[in-house]
Amino acid sequence: MSITKISQSFATQVSPDRMFKALILDSHNICPKLMFSSIKSIEFIQGSGEVGSIKQINFTEESPFKYVKHRIDALDKEKFMCKHTLIEGDALMDKLEYITYEVKFEGYGRGGCMCKMTSEYKVKEGVEIKEQDIEHGKDRAIGMYEVVEAYLLAHPHAYE
């Protein structure tokens, strides 16, 4: 079993605390509202957002996936960091044991932030994963962050 590690980052004009609150602490509310064509609902099936909680993302019929489950492994509200693991769902494509994500929001520029994401893909024994599969997942993650960023820029008092 091998692990493929991918890091990516992008700058935004939104402060780290607002990005963290919207994308990490309140994703179960904001993401289905903003991404209603792909995300049907997000619900906690264990816990309520603290470390050890498990949340399930249910996708719409238009999505290529039905659902995924994420476990929250680490959460630092002062440093705007979250680590979570995709532990179940068809997005693992029968090729992956799990995907671990670490997300950090750091101050950058004049009131904005740098969103830094590291993903670790644990590939099942005897299976190879194509780079295009990983790239597709990266693009979806960045797209979600951009949608939330646009919402926060349009609503400057949300998540203050």
Side-chain angles (χ1 to χ4, degrees), residues 54-107:
I54 296 175
K55 67 178 163 182
Q56 180 169 313
I57 302 170
N58 299 302
F59 298 103
T60 62
E61 292 74 28
E62 291 81 27
S63 176
F65 305 120
K66 293 182 181 177
Y67 78 97
V68 293
K69 289 182 183 177
H70 287 267
R71 180 188 63 235
I72 300 172
D73 301 318
L75 188 65
D76 189 328
K77 295 177 183 178
E78 285 77 42
K79 293 184 180 176
F80 309 120
M81 184 280 299
C82 179
K83 186 173 182 179
H84 57 100
T85 302
L86 193 160
I87 56 171
E88 186 182 314
D90 43 7
L92 294 172
M93 306 172 286
D94 293 326
K95 297 178 182 182
L96 299 166
E97 294 284 335
Y98 59 81
I99 307 170
T100 298
Y101 304 92
E102 185 171 324
V103 183
K104 295 179 184 177
F105 301 93
E106 299 174 353

Side-chain angles (χ1 to χ4, degrees), residues 36-54:
F36 54 86
S37 63
S38 58
I39 298 176
K40 184 188 251 180
S41 65
I42 301 176
E43 56 199 51
F44 286 103
I45 58 172
Q46 179 179 313
S48 58
E50 68 281 356
V51 172
S53 295
I54 296 175

Side-chain angles (χ1 to χ4, degrees), residues 8 10 23 35 117 136-150:
Q8 58 190 356
F10 72 95
L23 274 166
M35 291 160 255
M117 295 171 278
H136 184 66
K138 281 174 47 178
D139 292 345
R140 290 177 79 98
I142 292 291
M144 183 174 80
Y145 282 52
E146 290 173 340
V147 167
V148 173
E149 174 194 21

Side-chain angles (χ1 to χ4, degrees), residues 14-32:
V14 179
S15 67
D17 62 323
R18 291 180 67 219
M19 287 293 286
F20 182 79
K21 287 174 187 172
L23 274 166
I24 304 300
L25 301 181
D26 198 44
S27 64
H28 57 286
N29 288 315
I30 194 168
C31 290

